[in-house]
Amino acid sequence: MRFDIFTIFPSMFDGFLTESILKRAREQNLLEIDIHDIRDWTTDRHRSVDDYPYGGGAGMVMMAPPVVEAVEATMPVRSDGDNSEVILLSAAGERFTQELAIELATRARIGLVCGHYEGIDQRVVELLGAREVSIGDYVLTGGELPAAVIVDAVG
């Protein structure tokens, strides 16, 4: 199984992935986890990833272009027969349960997109065909902790 984690804070995964069972699974090549810095797909000198919501609204959201480009450049084009899935971690998504963990464990490859700010531009879901998933009925500062929970439960 392979996880691709898309984040603007890649170092948040350093300790989590280098300890305990996940460390052993990676060393035995049972689990592959790659961390991708979304800022690597920005085009301005400030490596900006946030903007006002497309179509208006309050707050700032993560822009669609860097996120979509990061996922498309990293994960092969998915078709109906492909055994991969892109998940957008969102407080508004479907609840992550043991049943969903079992379902996701059948996937060969999972992309986890970690949001920040007020969320991620909705076009990311539409353009990538992403599934929105939440680990609970509360709001966190970003998607990194939920990504770690899913990797731990599914991997």
Short mmCIF file of all heavy atoms in Angstrom, two decimals, residues 1-6 75 83-87 103-112 150 154:
data_model
loop_
_atom_site.label_atom_id
_atom_site.label_comp_id
_atom_site.label_asym_id
_atom_site.label_seq_id
_atom_site.Cartn_x
_atom_site.Cartn_y
_atom_site.Cartn_z
N MET A 1 0.84 -1.18 0.00
CA MET A 1 0.00 0.00 0.00
C MET A 1 0.88 1.23 0.00
O MET A 1 1.93 1.25 0.62
CB MET A 1 -0.90 -0.02 1.24
CG MET A 1 -1.62 1.30 1.46
SD MET A 1 -2.84 1.23 2.76
CE MET A 1 -4.22 0.69 1.78
N ARG A 2 0.40 2.25 -0.70
CA ARG A 2 1.15 3.51 -0.76
C ARG A 2 0.24 4.67 -0.39
O ARG A 2 -0.90 4.76 -0.86
CB ARG A 2 1.72 3.72 -2.16
CG ARG A 2 2.39 5.08 -2.30
CD ARG A 2 3.01 5.28 -3.64
NE ARG A 2 3.44 6.66 -3.78
CZ ARG A 2 4.34 7.07 -4.62
NH1 ARG A 2 4.93 6.20 -5.43
NH2 ARG A 2 4.67 8.33 -4.70
N PHE A 3 0.78 5.57 0.44
CA PHE A 3 0.11 6.82 0.78
C PHE A 3 0.93 7.96 0.21
O PHE A 3 2.15 7.97 0.33
CB PHE A 3 0.03 7.01 2.30
CG PHE A 3 -0.96 6.13 2.98
CD1 PHE A 3 -0.56 4.93 3.54
CD2 PHE A 3 -2.29 6.50 3.07
CE1 PHE A 3 -1.47 4.12 4.19
CE2 PHE A 3 -3.21 5.69 3.71
CZ PHE A 3 -2.80 4.50 4.27
N ASP A 4 0.25 8.92 -0.41
CA ASP A 4 0.85 10.18 -0.82
C ASP A 4 0.15 11.25 0.01
O ASP A 4 -1.07 11.40 -0.08
CB ASP A 4 0.64 10.44 -2.31
CG ASP A 4 1.46 9.49 -3.16
OD1 ASP A 4 2.66 9.73 -3.29
OD2 ASP A 4 0.89 8.50 -3.66
N ILE A 5 0.93 11.96 0.82
CA ILE A 5 0.36 12.99 1.68
C ILE A 5 0.76 14.35 1.14
O ILE A 5 1.95 14.63 0.98
CB ILE A 5 0.83 12.81 3.14
CG1 ILE A 5 0.41 11.42 3.65
CG2 ILE A 5 0.26 13.92 4.02
CD1 ILE A 5 0.94 11.07 5.02
N PHE A 6 -0.23 15.19 0.88
CA PHE A 6 -0.03 16.51 0.31
C PHE A 6 -0.30 17.54 1.41
O PHE A 6 -1.41 17.61 1.94
CB PHE A 6 -0.96 16.73 -0.89
CG PHE A 6 -0.76 15.71 -1.97
CD1 PHE A 6 -1.48 14.53 -1.98
CD2 PHE A 6 0.19 15.91 -2.95
CE1 PHE A 6 -1.29 13.58 -2.96
CE2 PHE A 6 0.41 14.97 -3.94
CZ PHE A 6 -0.34 13.79 -3.94
N MET A 75 0.31 11.44 -8.57
CA MET A 75 -0.48 10.22 -8.71
C MET A 75 -0.88 10.06 -10.17
O MET A 75 -1.29 11.02 -10.80
CB MET A 75 -1.72 10.28 -7.82
CG MET A 75 -1.37 10.35 -6.33
SD MET A 75 -2.82 10.37 -5.25
CE MET A 75 -3.41 8.70 -5.43
N ASN A 83 -7.20 1.36 -8.65
CA ASN A 83 -7.42 1.04 -7.24
C ASN A 83 -6.80 2.11 -6.33
O ASN A 83 -6.15 1.78 -5.35
CB ASN A 83 -6.84 -0.34 -6.92
CG ASN A 83 -7.35 -0.87 -5.60
OD1 ASN A 83 -8.34 -0.39 -5.07
ND2 ASN A 83 -6.66 -1.84 -5.06
N SER A 84 -6.97 3.36 -6.69
CA SER A 84 -6.46 4.46 -5.86
C SER A 84 -7.60 5.41 -5.53
O SER A 84 -8.66 5.37 -6.14
CB SER A 84 -5.34 5.20 -6.59
OG SER A 84 -5.84 5.87 -7.72
N GLU A 85 -7.34 6.23 -4.53
CA GLU A 85 -8.36 7.20 -4.11
C GLU A 85 -7.68 8.45 -3.58
O GLU A 85 -6.65 8.36 -2.92
CB GLU A 85 -9.24 6.59 -3.03
CG GLU A 85 -10.36 7.50 -2.60
CD GLU A 85 -11.63 6.75 -2.24
OE1 GLU A 85 -11.61 5.53 -2.10
OE2 GLU A 85 -12.65 7.43 -2.11
N VAL A 86 -8.27 9.61 -3.88
CA VAL A 86 -7.80 10.87 -3.34
C VAL A 86 -8.79 11.32 -2.28
O VAL A 86 -10.00 11.38 -2.53
CB VAL A 86 -7.66 11.96 -4.43
CG1 VAL A 86 -7.27 13.29 -3.81
CG2 VAL A 86 -6.65 11.54 -5.48
N ILE A 87 -8.26 11.61 -1.09
CA ILE A 87 -9.11 12.02 0.03
C ILE A 87 -8.71 13.42 0.46
O ILE A 87 -7.54 13.70 0.70
CB ILE A 87 -8.95 11.03 1.22
CG1 ILE A 87 -9.49 9.66 0.81
CG2 ILE A 87 -9.65 11.57 2.45
CD1 ILE A 87 -9.26 8.58 1.84
N GLU A 103 -12.54 -0.43 4.21
CA GLU A 103 -12.72 -0.18 2.77
C GLU A 103 -11.44 0.41 2.15
O GLU A 103 -10.99 -0.03 1.10
CB GLU A 103 -13.89 0.78 2.54
CG GLU A 103 -14.07 1.18 1.09
CD GLU A 103 -15.06 2.32 0.90
OE1 GLU A 103 -15.97 2.48 1.74
OE2 GLU A 103 -14.90 3.07 -0.08
N LEU A 104 -10.87 1.40 2.81
CA LEU A 104 -9.67 2.05 2.28
C LEU A 104 -8.47 1.10 2.27
O LEU A 104 -7.57 1.25 1.43
CB LEU A 104 -9.35 3.31 3.08
CG LEU A 104 -10.36 4.45 2.93
CD1 LEU A 104 -9.99 5.60 3.86
CD2 LEU A 104 -10.46 4.92 1.49
N ALA A 105 -8.45 0.14 3.16
CA ALA A 105 -7.34 -0.82 3.22
C ALA A 105 -7.28 -1.69 1.96
O ALA A 105 -6.24 -2.31 1.69
CB ALA A 105 -7.46 -1.68 4.46
N THR A 106 -8.33 -1.71 1.17
CA THR A 106 -8.32 -2.47 -0.09
C THR A 106 -7.70 -1.68 -1.23
O THR A 106 -7.46 -2.23 -2.30
CB THR A 106 -9.75 -2.90 -0.49
OG1 THR A 106 -10.51 -1.72 -0.81
CG2 THR A 106 -10.43 -3.68 0.63
N ARG A 107 -7.42 -0.41 -1.02
CA ARG A 107 -6.84 0.44 -2.05
C ARG A 107 -5.33 0.20 -2.15
O ARG A 107 -4.67 -0.02 -1.14
CB ARG A 107 -7.07 1.92 -1.76
CG ARG A 107 -8.52 2.31 -1.64
CD ARG A 107 -9.16 2.40 -3.02
NE ARG A 107 -10.47 2.99 -2.94
CZ ARG A 107 -11.59 2.31 -3.11
NH1 ARG A 107 -11.56 1.02 -3.34
NH2 ARG A 107 -12.76 2.93 -3.04
N ALA A 108 -4.81 0.28 -3.34
CA ALA A 108 -3.36 0.14 -3.53
C ALA A 108 -2.66 1.46 -3.21
O ALA A 108 -1.51 1.46 -2.76
CB ALA A 108 -3.05 -0.29 -4.95
N ARG A 109 -3.36 2.57 -3.45
CA ARG A 109 -2.74 3.88 -3.28
C ARG A 109 -3.79 4.89 -2.83
O ARG A 109 -4.89 4.94 -3.38
CB ARG A 109 -2.13 4.33 -4.60
CG ARG A 109 -1.28 5.55 -4.50
CD ARG A 109 -0.52 5.76 -5.79
NE ARG A 109 0.42 6.84 -5.65
CZ ARG A 109 1.25 7.22 -6.60
NH1 ARG A 109 1.27 6.59 -7.76
NH2 ARG A 109 2.08 8.22 -6.40
N ILE A 110 -3.42 5.68 -1.82
CA ILE A 110 -4.32 6.69 -1.29
C ILE A 110 -3.58 8.02 -1.22
O ILE A 110 -2.49 8.09 -0.67
CB ILE A 110 -4.83 6.31 0.11
CG1 ILE A 110 -5.63 5.00 0.06
CG2 ILE A 110 -5.68 7.43 0.71
CD1 ILE A 110 -6.01 4.45 1.42
N GLY A 111 -4.18 9.05 -1.78
CA GLY A 111 -3.66 10.41 -1.67
C GLY A 111 -4.45 11.14 -0.59
O GLY A 111 -5.68 11.13 -0.61
N LEU A 112 -3.75 11.73 0.37
CA LEU A 112 -4.39 12.48 1.45
C LEU A 112 -4.02 13.95 1.32
O LEU A 112 -2.85 14.31 1.41
CB LEU A 112 -3.92 11.94 2.81
CG LEU A 112 -4.27 10.48 3.09
CD1 LEU A 112 -3.54 9.99 4.34
CD2 LEU A 112 -5.76 10.29 3.23
N ILE A 150 -5.57 8.47 9.69
CA ILE A 150 -5.95 7.56 8.61
C ILE A 150 -4.81 6.63 8.24
O ILE A 150 -5.01 5.43 8.07
CB ILE A 150 -6.48 8.36 7.40
CG1 ILE A 150 -7.82 8.99 7.77
CG2 ILE A 150 -6.61 7.46 6.17
CD1 ILE A 150 -8.40 9.93 6.74
N VAL A 154 -5.38 2.67 8.63
CA VAL A 154 -5.50 1.94 7.37
C VAL A 154 -4.22 1.20 7.02
O VAL A 154 -4.25 0.07 6.53
CB VAL A 154 -5.90 2.89 6.21
CG1 VAL A 154 -5.89 2.17 4.88
CG2 VAL A 154 -7.25 3.51 6.49
#
